[in-house]
Amino acid sequence: MSTAQRIDIDWTACQGHGLCADFLPEHITLDEWGYPLVDGVPVPSGTARRARRAAADCPVLALRLTPASTD
């Protein structure tokens, strides 16, 4: 059984490189300064691999996947 995950950004680490938006354009857009805007939707299982890659390839490791709340 797979648990739903969501994208979280460590704002103290993020430097606005924008690679996350290149990997996950359906979940992440960039603001006018190049910082990510996350849609808040849980990452579907079909996208999870790209989401993990985006987190791993972030130059400052500011992106992470966490379990989505079930509230």
Side-chain angles (χ1 to χ4, degrees):
M1 178 174 104
S2 164
T3 61
Q5 296 182 317
R6 67 184 180 124
I7 300 166
D8 280 334
I9 298 174
D10 178 352
W11 293 110
T12 59
C14 183
Q15 296 178 0
H17 291 278
L19 291 176
C20 52
D22 289 341
F23 280 111
L24 296 168
E26 66 272 42
H27 293 286
I28 301 173
T29 58
L30 301 177
D31 69 9
E32 61 267 24
W33 299 284
Y35 286 89
L37 301 169
V38 180
D39 65 4
V41 175
V43 176
S45 59
T47 309
R49 183 176 181 179
R50 283 190 299 118
R52 287 190 298 272
R53 171 93 188 260
D57 286 356
C58 176
V60 293
L61 301 177
L63 190 73
R64 69 179 64 101
L65 295 176
T66 59
S69 63
T70 56
D71 304 355

